[in-house]
PDB file of all heavy atoms in Angstrom:
ATOM      1  N   ILE A  32      10.187  -4.795 -21.283  1.00  0.00           N
ATOM      2  CA  ILE A  32      10.714  -6.038 -20.720  1.00  0.00           C
ATOM      3  C   ILE A  32      10.606  -7.116 -21.788  1.00  0.00           C
ATOM      4  O   ILE A  32       9.496  -7.510 -22.186  1.00  0.00           O
ATOM      5  CB  ILE A  32       9.952  -6.438 -19.446  1.00  0.00           C
ATOM      6  CG1 ILE A  32      10.071  -5.330 -18.386  1.00  0.00           C
ATOM      7  CG2 ILE A  32      10.476  -7.768 -18.897  1.00  0.00           C
ATOM      8  CD1 ILE A  32       9.198  -5.549 -17.161  1.00  0.00           C
ATOM      9  N   LEU A  33      11.737  -7.593 -22.260  1.00  0.00           N
ATOM     10  CA  LEU A  33      11.748  -8.556 -23.358  1.00  0.00           C
ATOM     11  C   LEU A  33      11.436  -9.966 -22.888  1.00  0.00           C
ATOM     12  O   LEU A  33      10.861 -10.758 -23.649  1.00  0.00           O
ATOM     13  CB  LEU A  33      13.112  -8.547 -24.062  1.00  0.00           C
ATOM     14  CG  LEU A  33      13.527  -7.227 -24.719  1.00  0.00           C
ATOM     15  CD1 LEU A  33      14.894  -7.385 -25.372  1.00  0.00           C
ATOM     16  CD2 LEU A  33      12.490  -6.799 -25.750  1.00  0.00           C
ATOM     17  N   ALA A  34      11.829 -10.310 -21.657  1.00  0.00           N
ATOM     18  CA  ALA A  34      11.617 -11.676 -21.192  1.00  0.00           C
ATOM     19  C   ALA A  34      11.797 -11.769 -19.688  1.00  0.00           C
ATOM     20  O   ALA A  34      12.541 -10.989 -19.087  1.00  0.00           O
ATOM     21  CB  ALA A  34      12.581 -12.635 -21.886  1.00  0.00           C
ATOM     22  N   ILE A  35      11.105 -12.758 -19.102  1.00  0.00           N
ATOM     23  CA  ILE A  35      11.350 -13.214 -17.737  1.00  0.00           C
ATOM     24  C   ILE A  35      12.053 -14.560 -17.854  1.00  0.00           C
ATOM     25  O   ILE A  35      11.557 -15.471 -18.514  1.00  0.00           O
ATOM     26  CB  ILE A  35      10.035 -13.392 -16.947  1.00  0.00           C
ATOM     27  CG1 ILE A  35       9.196 -12.110 -16.984  1.00  0.00           C
ATOM     28  CG2 ILE A  35      10.329 -13.832 -15.519  1.00  0.00           C
ATOM     29  CD1 ILE A  35       9.823 -10.938 -16.299  1.00  0.00           C
ATOM     30  N   VAL A  36      13.213 -14.701 -17.238  1.00  0.00           N
ATOM     31  CA  VAL A  36      13.994 -15.934 -17.320  1.00  0.00           C
ATOM     32  C   VAL A  36      13.924 -16.630 -15.970  1.00  0.00           C
ATOM     33  O   VAL A  36      14.492 -16.153 -14.984  1.00  0.00           O
ATOM     34  CB  VAL A  36      15.458 -15.649 -17.716  1.00  0.00           C
ATOM     35  CG1 VAL A  36      16.244 -16.952 -17.827  1.00  0.00           C
ATOM     36  CG2 VAL A  36      15.515 -14.871 -19.029  1.00  0.00           C
ATOM     37  N   SER A  37      13.217 -17.759 -15.929  1.00  0.00           N
ATOM     38  CA  SER A  37      13.023 -18.461 -14.661  1.00  0.00           C
ATOM     39  C   SER A  37      12.549 -19.879 -14.920  1.00  0.00           C
ATOM     40  O   SER A  37      11.677 -20.093 -15.771  1.00  0.00           O
ATOM     41  CB  SER A  37      11.979 -17.731 -13.804  1.00  0.00           C
ATOM     42  OG  SER A  37      11.664 -18.488 -12.653  1.00  0.00           O
ATOM     43  N   PRO A  38      13.087 -20.865 -14.184  1.00  0.00           N
ATOM     44  CA  PRO A  38      12.570 -22.227 -14.308  1.00  0.00           C
ATOM     45  C   PRO A  38      11.201 -22.388 -13.657  1.00  0.00           C
ATOM     46  O   PRO A  38      10.519 -23.387 -13.879  1.00  0.00           O
ATOM     47  CB  PRO A  38      13.630 -23.066 -13.579  1.00  0.00           C
ATOM     48  CG  PRO A  38      14.228 -22.133 -12.580  1.00  0.00           C
ATOM     49  CD  PRO A  38      14.222 -20.787 -13.244  1.00  0.00           C
ATOM     50  N   GLU A  39      10.794 -21.423 -12.836  1.00  0.00           N
ATOM     51  CA  GLU A  39       9.519 -21.510 -12.134  1.00  0.00           C
ATOM     52  C   GLU A  39       8.341 -21.253 -13.066  1.00  0.00           C
ATOM     53  O   GLU A  39       8.470 -20.604 -14.103  1.00  0.00           O
ATOM     54  CB  GLU A  39       9.475 -20.475 -11.003  1.00  0.00           C
ATOM     55  CG  GLU A  39      10.568 -20.587  -9.972  1.00  0.00           C
ATOM     56  CD  GLU A  39      10.485 -19.475  -8.944  1.00  0.00           C
ATOM     57  OE1 GLU A  39       9.412 -19.331  -8.319  1.00  0.00           O
ATOM     58  OE2 GLU A  39      11.476 -18.741  -8.784  1.00  0.00           O
ATOM     59  N   ASP A  40       7.174 -21.748 -12.659  1.00  0.00           N
ATOM     60  CA  ASP A  40       5.925 -21.408 -13.323  1.00  0.00           C
ATOM     61  C   ASP A  40       5.523 -20.002 -12.892  1.00  0.00           C
ATOM     62  O   ASP A  40       5.261 -19.757 -11.717  1.00  0.00           O
ATOM     63  CB  ASP A  40       4.844 -22.413 -12.929  1.00  0.00           C
ATOM     64  CG  ASP A  40       3.490 -22.084 -13.545  1.00  0.00           C
ATOM     65  OD1 ASP A  40       3.423 -21.187 -14.409  1.00  0.00           O
ATOM     66  OD2 ASP A  40       2.500 -22.730 -13.153  1.00  0.00           O
ATOM     67  N   ILE A  41       5.509 -19.072 -13.831  1.00  0.00           N
ATOM     68  CA  ILE A  41       5.209 -17.682 -13.485  1.00  0.00           C
ATOM     69  C   ILE A  41       3.758 -17.311 -13.787  1.00  0.00           C
ATOM     70  O   ILE A  41       3.355 -16.176 -13.577  1.00  0.00           O
ATOM     71  CB  ILE A  41       6.158 -16.705 -14.203  1.00  0.00           C
ATOM     72  CG1 ILE A  41       5.942 -16.735 -15.718  1.00  0.00           C
ATOM     73  CG2 ILE A  41       7.610 -17.012 -13.849  1.00  0.00           C
ATOM     74  CD1 ILE A  41       6.691 -15.637 -16.466  1.00  0.00           C
ATOM     75  N   SER A  42       2.987 -18.274 -14.252  1.00  0.00           N
ATOM     76  CA  SER A  42       1.639 -17.965 -14.747  1.00  0.00           C
ATOM     77  C   SER A  42       0.691 -17.500 -13.651  1.00  0.00           C
ATOM     78  O   SER A  42      -0.311 -16.834 -13.932  1.00  0.00           O
ATOM     79  CB  SER A  42       1.051 -19.184 -15.462  1.00  0.00           C
ATOM     80  OG  SER A  42       0.894 -20.272 -14.561  1.00  0.00           O
ATOM     81  N   LEU A  43       0.972 -17.847 -12.387  1.00  0.00           N
ATOM     82  CA  LEU A  43       0.071 -17.469 -11.304  1.00  0.00           C
ATOM     83  C   LEU A  43       0.309 -16.048 -10.802  1.00  0.00           C
ATOM     84  O   LEU A  43      -0.462 -15.549  -9.974  1.00  0.00           O
ATOM     85  CB  LEU A  43       0.212 -18.455 -10.138  1.00  0.00           C
ATOM     86  CG  LEU A  43      -0.186 -19.904 -10.463  1.00  0.00           C
ATOM     87  CD1 LEU A  43      -0.006 -20.791  -9.235  1.00  0.00           C
ATOM     88  CD2 LEU A  43      -1.619 -19.984 -10.980  1.00  0.00           C
TER      89      LEU A  43
END
Side-chain angles (χ1 to χ4, degrees):
I32 300 172
L33 298 180
I35 306 295
V36 181
S37 173
E39 302 177 56
D40 178 9
I41 66 171
S42 63
L43 297 180

